[in-house]
Amino acid sequence: HDSPRVRRRLEGIPADAYTLRLPSGRELLEFPIAVWRVRGRALPIGGGGYWRAFPTRALLRGLDRVRRSTAHPVLYFHPYEFDPEPLQASLPPTATPQQRLKALSRRLYRNPGRRRTAAQLATVARAFPLVTYESLLRDNALRGAGTKSLSPGGAIV
């Protein structure tokens, strides 16, 4: 949620896991993605494009900072980020110039740095203990996670 790339993002996202009470009364356990605060800017370094863009040393530094203030920093990955083959859209011969340009921009955005992702994750795993959500729930490690609600304007309160 806390990304400079996400317009109209939800405000008030806690750094640690919390229970979100929905208007229906049901509850949802939220695990916010690891966000490194650098000079007042939010860098969501929990995975995705940020892992492809940052050198491993910067990721380690950022995750160390996040770990100091967050009990369970969350990492996430898309399956394609571990595939060494570049992504390339298969376009029909009748594709418009706009479709070709969009396919090119996606390829240029999604492919750089992907070959490093598995090695970066291995390095991070040697530096930090990685656990599953299931183990956190099983070990009752989230006991005391706060409860939040959505305001009418969509902010978490």
Side-chain angles (χ1 to χ4, degrees), residues 83-142:
D83 183 353
E85 294 301 316
L87 295 174
Q88 186 155 339
S90 184
L91 295 172
T94 57
T96 66
Q98 291 86 358
Q99 289 170 322
R100 292 183 189 286
L101 184 60
K102 186 170 187 167
L104 174 64
S105 72
R106 293 262 170 103
R107 189 173 71 224
L108 292 173
Y109 174 72
R110 301 270 188 229
N111 285 323
R114 283 183 43 233
R115 293 182 189 264
R116 297 186 335 227
T117 304
Q120 285 177 311
L121 182 57
T123 301
V124 167
R126 286 189 294 273
F128 301 97
L130 300 181
V131 299
T132 64
Y133 301 129
E134 180 183 24
S135 69
L136 292 174
L137 293 168
R138 182 189 61 237
D139 299 341
N140 209 14
L142 300 174

Side-chain angles (χ1 to χ4, degrees), residues 1-6 9 13 32-38 41-54 58-59 62-63 66 73-78 81 109:
H1 296 289
D2 200 356
S3 170
R5 292 181 40 101
V6 178
R9 63 185 177 264
I13 302 293
I33 296 165
V35 174
W36 181 18
R37 304 257 175 227
V38 179
R41 297 198 61 118
L43 296 175
I45 60 166
Y50 289 87
W51 274 56
R52 294 190 311 270
F54 286 146
L59 287 173
L63 289 170
V66 170
V74 172
L75 305 181
Y76 77 96
F77 300 94
H78 302 101
E81 291 169 320
Y109 174 72

Side-chain angles (χ1 to χ4, degrees), residues 18-40:
Y18 62 94
T19 301
L20 179 63
R21 184 168 292 123
L22 303 173
S24 66
R26 297 184 72 174
E27 294 183 341
L28 176 69
L29 189 57
E30 283 272 343
F31 292 91
I33 296 165
V35 174
W36 181 18
R37 304 257 175 227
V38 179
R39 296 182 184 155

